[in-house]
């Protein structure tokens, strides 16, 4: 069973662009990325789109479908009615390179600002020991495919370009939290999260969690526990006194 679907796709580059209307064949079992590929093959050979795995695992095909941040390869055409016009636009938070392809280098800049795992100095490889419960806690965060849909969605930067300097976004605050929860990591991640990565700007709207294709509980399992650690340090009278005495 196939039908002619109505699509509206954003075309343009960093100097500007507009939505263009297309009618494209849709077949049973297809996803939005199939339609984009058919559009390239039949009507718009120069349409730019980034993709790799077509299996929801490489995180390349992030875009917005009817205004909602989604993976093009994991969005089934069957969730739309045949008469609906489907609008496909690039991620809004990052600068457009061309058509559906955005420049996501902001994310790599933020990733590089996180100091890597720092095990105790006297521990040799092979001597690392940790509880299974600690392994499992960070396992969830390791499912991240770096699609940056959470980064694209978070209003702290989506609506405020000026916050990009001080805010690393949910994906990287989650990485800081993951390292902080690691029992063998010796770095001080609490102050880093607050001072270098802007944890205080997150007001727990949970929009990041809602769009994560890996269903990672970013807010509940990473951001809120991290905020609690910051609060503990700030309001614990012994920690406060220690800071006063030793951190002048
Ligand atoms: Fe994508 Fe989820 Fe990773 Fe964010 S946390 S980059 S939404 S997989
Ligand atoms: Fe942004 Fe997620 Fe916090 S959407 S405000 S990082 S809960
Ligand atoms: Fe790899 Fe969509 S093409 S996640």
């Amino acid at each position: 069973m196939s039908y002619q679907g109505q699509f509206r796709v954003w075309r343009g580059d960093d100097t500007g662009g507009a939505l263009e209307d297309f009618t494209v064949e849709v077949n049973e079992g297809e996803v939005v990325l199939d339609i984009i590929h058919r559009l390239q093959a039949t009507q718009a050979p120069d349409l730019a789109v980034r993709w790799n795995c077509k299996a929801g695992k490489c995180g390349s095909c992030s875009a917005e479908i009817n205004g909602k941040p989604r993976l093009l390869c994991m969005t089934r055409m069957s969730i739309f009615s045949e008469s609906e016009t489907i609008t496909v636009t690039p991620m809004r938070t990052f600068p457009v390179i061309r058509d559906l392809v955005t420049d996501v280098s902001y994310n790599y800049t933020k990733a590089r600002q996180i100091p890597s795992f720092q095990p105790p100095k006297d521990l040799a490889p092979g001597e690392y020991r940790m509880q299974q419960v600690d392994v499992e806690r960070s396992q969830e965060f390791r499912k991240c495919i770096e699609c940056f849909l959470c980064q694209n969605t978070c209003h702290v930067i989506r609506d405020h370009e000026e916050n990009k300097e001080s805010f690393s976004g949910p994906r990287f605050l989650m990485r800081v939290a993951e390292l902080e929860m690691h029992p063998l990591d010796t770095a001080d991640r609490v102050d880093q999260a607050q001072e270098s990565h802007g944890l205080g700007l997150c007001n727990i709207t949970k929009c990041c969690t809602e769009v994560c294709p890996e269903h990672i509980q970013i807010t509940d399992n990473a951001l809120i526990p991290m905020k609690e650690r910051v609060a503990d340090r700030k309001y614990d009278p012994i920690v406060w006194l220690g800071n006063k005495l030793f951190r002048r």
Side-chain angles (χ1 to χ4, degrees), residues 5-8 21-22 66 80-87:
Q6 303 306 314
F7 295 87
R8 193 162 280 177
D21 290 322
F22 297 96
N66 291 347
F80 306 107
S81 74
E82 293 188 9
S83 58
E84 196 173 344
T85 299
I86 297 160
T87 305

Side-chain angles (χ1 to χ4, degrees), residues 209-221:
T209 304
E210 271 172 37
V211 299
C212 177
E214 285 293 320
H215 308 291
I216 303 171
Q217 295 301 305
I218 309 169
T219 321
D220 286 354
N221 293 348

Side-chain angles (χ1 to χ4, degrees), residues 144-150 171 174 211-214 216 218:
C144 176
I145 58 169
E146 302 224 305
C147 63
F148 305 133
L149 287 175
C150 58
R171 194 276 168 262
M174 179 175 89
V211 299
C212 177
E214 285 293 320
I216 303 171
I218 309 169

Side-chain angles (χ1 to χ4, degrees), residues 33 37 50-62 71-74 145 147 213:
L33 187 60
H37 283 161
R50 191 186 276 132
W51 68 285
N52 267 291
C53 69
K54 204 169 173 270
K57 286 296 162 220
C58 73
S60 306
C61 67
S62 302
L71 295 179
L72 294 173
C73 74
M74 296 303 283
I145 58 169
C147 63

